[in-house]
Amino acid sequence: MPEPKLKEKRWSQNLEATLFKKWQDEKLYGQENMKEGPVFVVDTPPPYPSGRWHVGGALHFCQIDMISRYFRMKEKNLWFPVGIDRNGLPIESRVEKDFGIKAHEVPREEFLKKCRETLNKYESNISNIMNLTGLSVDWSKVYRTDSPKYRTLTQSTFIELWNKGLIYEDTKPNNWCPGCKTTLADAEVEYRSQKGKLVFINFKLKEGGVIQIATTRPELLGACQAITVHPTGSAYSKEIGKTALVPIYGREVKIIGREETNPEFGTGAMMVCSYGDQEDVKMFREFSLPETIIIDEAGKMTKAAGKYEGLSAKDAKKAIIEDLKSQGFIEKIDEVDQNIPICWRSKDDIELIALPEYYLKQVDFVDDVKKISDDIEFHPEKSRQLLLDWLGAVNQDWPISRRRFYGTPVPIFNCGEHGKFVPEPGKYYETWNMTLPCPKCNKPAKGDTRVLDTWMDSSISALWVSGFKRDEKFFKRSFPTFLRPQGKDIVRTWLYYTLLRVYHATGKKAFNHVWISGHIVDKKGFKMSKSIGNVVYPEPLIEKYGADSLRFFSASEAKLGSDIRVSEERIAGAAKFIQKLYNVSRFISMFSDSKKPEKLEPADKWILSELGKLTRLATRGYDDMDLFIPANEVRTFVWEKFAPHYIEMVKGRAYDGDESARYTLHTVLRQVLKLLSPISPFITDYVYRKLYEKTLQFENFDSFEENQSLPTTKLIEFNESVWAKKKAENLSLRDEVALKVPERLQAYEKDLIKMHNLRQ
Ligand SMILES: [Zn+2]
Ligand SMILES: [Zn+2]
């Protein structure tokens, strides 16, 4: 028996860390290794370090790494940067919880410091997992969205938008989360369906009689300023112009005719309050009604609610229904299905509150964003619809200021006398903590105390990674970026906002490809959450099975766009395949490689043709960014063709030193390692370096001709029939058996006789 070149008997995941260190020492993923010409930049999703990373985050990045590794092999100049998103509410909530403090109640500088320290702690957990899983990111240029440099870019783009008149300040009712104590953009609003009460209330008319309205928000009665009915289509149309008395409060309100009031809904009469929903907002503007703030920023009833002041909106609703009942104002209460707007982060009910905020114009640009997105390839193509649906729903401008703390400060200064102004772009302004001389009177003007919506930062990641305003030469080579990989849950936010912001800044599309993945869920298909207790962490799985196995699992488990159910049994299955690949490699490592002989034996030609087919299918999958295809094609090839059929057939020749067999064994192994390298980079690079003395991470796939006329199925069927016969006759695989090689397989006769010990 020849000595195998691969000394270790089994693949061990302990080899992964050493190899990862080697890659870092060799600086494989930096820009210094790139040739001239265009650079393919991945617009990496910067993860948010506000808690321990679960397996979902890890697998998501593994998949992005696989795509990056494939295109690096194919195009060479692929750059996979890494960023960390560190602005915004999640870290503030985390710090409030961890330290038992309230952001509004401690000095701002002290609170920001705690945020920074907590971010650092969780960031090191994320970067550790990124390294354990073998990501081919460039750590030499890691960016953080809260660094003064990054925030300078956010502020500079703000200042330019302001100067172009695309940002304005306005006081209009907006989504307000009482839990997070901040304004939310429409993109951050989710809906929860629930059973609600539709309350039918009788309003007395000053002129005599009653008008009945149906409402799900009786707690807003104190802010009721009008009643609308359809001008002609309702039984109440004749009451238009009369005056109704608001129950409990006794205030007089007008009955107004309005085309949009649906005579079929409820009683056909609607009360108009500030603010039940966006429709109320419209009506207040339309009829110039006086606005009453009845719910405050904490979600509590204000003075305007009278005796209900201080109650939460929910409790006020209960109390007022009781009072209306006892005073005889309620006709009836129906149960209805409701869609309640809630905060996407804290899940609190959203209220509409009018506060002055800055807005970025987006309604006027929906068509432009749609047009540039037509020129972007989506993977899978059907995920394009998620963006189109959202574009169809955008109907007001984006509120971009937040009354929070840990974010990029709004770069606006206010001279009491001469109004607001923006400073010069290109510098970082900690506005809340500074003044600038007013350009008109030179007196110190105060900086704005608000911060920007964190999506204002993350939506320029594509500009940051391509060097916009920082490295014009690199920007020319790399913009638009090559790829935006992301989850489907942030299409309305990160994807859409990036397209909008980059269009505002450059007039162009931000990227050429968008890859949208499904969710990573538990083995029963449920979202992982700490409160349910079904969270899976990646570190123990990596320790037990190795990163390559985890990665192979994530690629082979689900079609692109589908959810991946994390199951330890399936990961263990992937680990078996990785071991199988090692065993095959070790076997082949017994034989020395050979250059291509002039004439190849038929069995060798056959497997090379099968390798051609495998390469074609795997390449197509990789090009579509659907990792499911290459992972499964390679596994099937190795496990069901190459190892059991081909290797068994040519073993004999290989031991005899046959050139054709040795050449083919190594050629197939080299190609299989390359095909699997993006998915399981550790074992493939390890074996390739041992046998072929260099890394395979920059090697192209080889191409092989396919010959459709070869009898693959026949060959497999014949082998299986021989094994079955030996089993039935209680013979070992080495035992001789009398069996003729079929006519169609004559070309392989010599190999088959040796393989099965056939007696002719
Ligand atoms: Zn919230
Ligand atoms: Zn001034």
Side-chain angles (χ1 to χ4, degrees), residues 397-464:
D397 288 335
W398 174 14
I400 52 172
S401 47
R402 297 287 181 269
R403 284 150 206 282
R404 297 297 312 187
F405 308 96
Y406 201 83
T408 300
V410 174
I412 296 254
F413 292 83
N414 191 358
C415 164
E417 216 180 316
H418 300 103
K420 299 194 170 181
F421 63 93
V422 290
E424 282 300 301
K427 266 194 248 167
Y428 177 51
Y429 300 94
E430 195 123 275
T431 32
W432 60 272
N433 206 11
M434 64 185 285
T435 59
L436 276 188
C438 165
K440 298 221 172 85
C441 66
N442 222 23
K443 283 187 202 144
K446 268 197 183 156
D448 204 296
T449 56
R450 281 168 284 178
V451 296
L452 291 169
D453 179 356
T454 177
W455 295 112
M456 279 290 282
D457 300 287
S458 50
S459 58
I460 53 166
S461 60
L463 295 177
W464 178 269

Side-chain angles (χ1 to χ4, degrees), residues 306-467:
K307 62 185 282 207
Y308 311 106
E309 183 183 355
L311 294 181
S312 71
K314 239 182 218 156
D315 291 342
K317 179 182 284 185
K318 272 187 213 144
I320 203 166
I321 288 178
E322 283 315 306
D323 291 346
L324 287 166
K325 255 190 209 160
S326 67
Q327 295 175 35
F329 286 109
I330 292 192
E331 184 72 26
K332 61 167 178 169
I333 299 176
D334 285 352
E335 198 169 80
V336 287
D337 293 319
Q338 281 183 292
N339 256 337
I340 305 289
I342 57 170
C343 168
W344 79 307
R345 265 195 236 279
S346 66
K347 313 295 177 199
D348 286 299
D349 289 5
I350 279 168
E351 295 296 345
L352 293 172
I353 285 187
L355 289 169
E357 301 288 6
Y358 295 104
Y359 287 84
L360 173 58
K361 287 190 182 172
Q362 62 177 359
V363 177
D364 297 348
F365 297 94
V366 167
D367 289 342
D368 301 74
V369 171
K370 184 172 174 311
K371 205 176 288 160
I372 51 167
S373 73
D374 286 345
D375 195 27
I376 295 174
E377 265 187 60
F378 278 71
H379 306 267
E381 173 56 33
K382 66 175 186 202
S383 58
R384 181 190 300 277
Q385 196 56 41
L386 298 171
L387 176 67
L388 295 178
D389 289 347
W390 177 241
L391 288 174
V394 170
N395 60 14
Q396 53 172 338
D397 288 335
W398 174 14
I400 52 172
S401 47
R402 297 287 181 269
R403 284 150 206 282
R404 297 297 312 187
F405 308 96
Y406 201 83
T408 300
V410 174
I412 296 254
F413 292 83
N414 191 358
C415 164
E417 216 180 316
H418 300 103
K420 299 194 170 181
F421 63 93
V422 290
E424 282 300 301
K427 266 194 248 167
Y428 177 51
Y429 300 94
E430 195 123 275
T431 32
W432 60 272
N433 206 11
M434 64 185 285
T435 59
L436 276 188
C438 165
K440 298 221 172 85
C441 66
N442 222 23
K443 283 187 202 144
K446 268 197 183 156
D448 204 296
T449 56
R450 281 168 284 178
V451 296
L452 291 169
D453 179 356
T454 177
W455 295 112
M456 279 290 282
D457 300 287
S458 50
S459 58
I460 53 166
S461 60
L463 295 177
W464 178 269
V465 294
S466 54

Side-chain angles (χ1 to χ4, degrees), residues 170-198:
D170 194 6
T171 303
K172 48 183 172 183
N174 230 315
N175 307 307
W176 175 267
C177 173
C180 302
K181 288 197 180 47
T182 186
T183 299
L184 296 180
D186 286 349
E188 297 171 305
V189 175
E190 285 179 358
Y191 290 86
R192 180 183 64 222
S193 56
Q194 66 173 42
K195 293 274 180 222
K197 287 186 168 121
L198 186 62

